[in-house]
Amino acid sequence: MHEQKAIPSIWVTWLSRLIADEIQCVWSVWFRTHFKYEKLNTNFDSAAWNANHRILVNRRINILEAEGYTVYVEGENRFEVLGRDHLVKVAGKPDIIAIKDNYAWVEDCKTGQRKNSDFYQILIYLLLLPISLAPCQGLSVQGRLIYRDEVVEILAVQVNDDFRAQFRAAIAILSNTTPPRKVPSFQECRFCDISAQYCSARVDTYSTQASSEHDLF
Ligand code: SF4
């Protein structure tokens, strides 16, 4: 069974992937925004991801504490921002917030392939954290992406009008009571945790129906 949420709730990671145009089936994110449901186990190997991510986060904590930062980690950093008239909320949980002098650095550790959504995820944190998380208030909030082999700084000045417009447009799509299109495909459905019980368009088997032989090449 699925149950409508009292207030539609959007995770920062969903927004960042939508802004980066990394999601074909926007309906899947819209459904997650509006409903609680029983999740399907997908092919994603969360145990291996968690272990690798933990190693990178711990390594980063050690470096920052040695440099004299006060470090807040994951659950300590959970925040929610309610939109106008409480019609929708955005929630997030950055891996690390490190504070020293008048600066708060928000950091996210990435162990997988680099994606454009990594950049947008930090921009969303830079937009929302100064108004939502107590340790960041009154400080200059800047961002860093932590990859295994590189640290990429993302500065608050990069939160410009274009990005704000993209952010608002993504929120408008997900908070709308009219659902967007489903775009079923084996490539996307196999990583989707919404079962056929909720999504009748789900594609669980690979089909070669769309391929044909021709003499163009
Ligand atoms: S199962 Fe496929 S079609 Fe259904 S919501 Fe997920 S990605 Fe979209």
Side-chain angles (χ1 to χ4, degrees):
M1 287 296 292
H2 62 298
E3 183 193 330
Q4 185 133 18
K5 294 178 182 173
I7 300 176
S9 170
I10 309 171
W11 275 100
V12 167
T13 45
W14 304 345
L15 276 174
S16 59
R17 293 192 60 215
L18 191 59
I19 294 171
D21 198 20
E22 291 171 358
I23 300 171
Q24 288 178 31
C25 185
V26 179
W27 190 90
S28 65
V29 191
W30 177 89
F31 182 81
R32 292 183 191 107
T33 297
H34 290 263
F35 295 97
K36 296 175 186 168
Y37 60 99
E38 219 170 294
K39 293 188 175 64
L40 198 67
N41 271 335
T42 62
N43 293 336
F44 179 63
D45 186 352
S46 61
W49 182 88
N50 284 340
N52 290 331
H53 183 253
R54 173 63 35 218
I55 290 168
L56 190 55
V57 170
N58 285 343
R59 192 194 305 158
R60 194 63 198 160
I61 292 169
N62 290 340
I63 291 171
L64 289 164
E65 287 185 336
E67 291 175 359
Y69 284 90
T70 301
V71 178
Y72 299 90
V73 184
E74 294 173 330
E76 294 179 288
N77 301 331
R78 195 183 192 293
F79 70 90
E80 276 187 6
V81 179
L82 268 170
R84 215 172 284 136
D85 301 327
H86 296 191
L87 294 177
V88 64
K89 61 185 175 186
V90 177
K93 198 173 62 172
D95 288 335
I96 290 173
I97 292 180
I99 294 179
K100 191 163 78 167
D101 304 325
N102 288 323
Y103 287 88
W105 289 91
V106 55
E107 300 192 347
D108 227 72
C109 298
K110 302 292 183 192
T111 54
Q113 265 194 328
R114 295 183 189 210
K115 300 190 295 290
N116 290 338
S117 55
D118 301 344
F119 169 71
Y120 289 113
Q121 186 178 348
I122 295 289
L123 284 190
I124 298 170
Y125 289 148
L126 295 180
L127 181 67
L128 299 181
L129 285 176
I131 57 169
S132 60
L133 203 64
C136 295
Q137 284 171 8
L139 301 178
S140 170
V141 183
Q142 312 291 335
R144 292 188 189 116
L145 280 167
I146 312 301
Y147 296 106
R148 281 191 243 242
D149 56 352
E150 193 184 5
V151 173
V152 178
E153 286 193 358
I154 299 167
L155 302 181
V157 292
Q158 291 172 267
V159 179
N160 56 24
D161 288 346
D162 283 351
F163 168 70
R164 286 171 196 272
Q166 289 174 305
F167 175 79
R168 285 197 200 96
I171 299 262
I173 291 167
L174 296 182
S175 60
N176 202 314
T177 49
T178 304
R181 278 176 61 83
K182 285 178 188 166
V183 182
S185 70
F186 177 68
Q187 286 75 9
E188 195 142 323
C189 294
R190 67 186 166 140
F191 296 113
C192 179
D193 63 10
I194 301 171
S195 72
Q197 182 187 356
Y198 313 113
C199 173
S200 55
R202 186 177 176 92
V203 178
D204 277 318
T205 49
Y206 180 69
S207 162
T208 53
Q209 276 177 329
S211 15
S212 61
E213 203 175 291
H214 54 76
D215 57 7
L216 282 174
F217 54 84

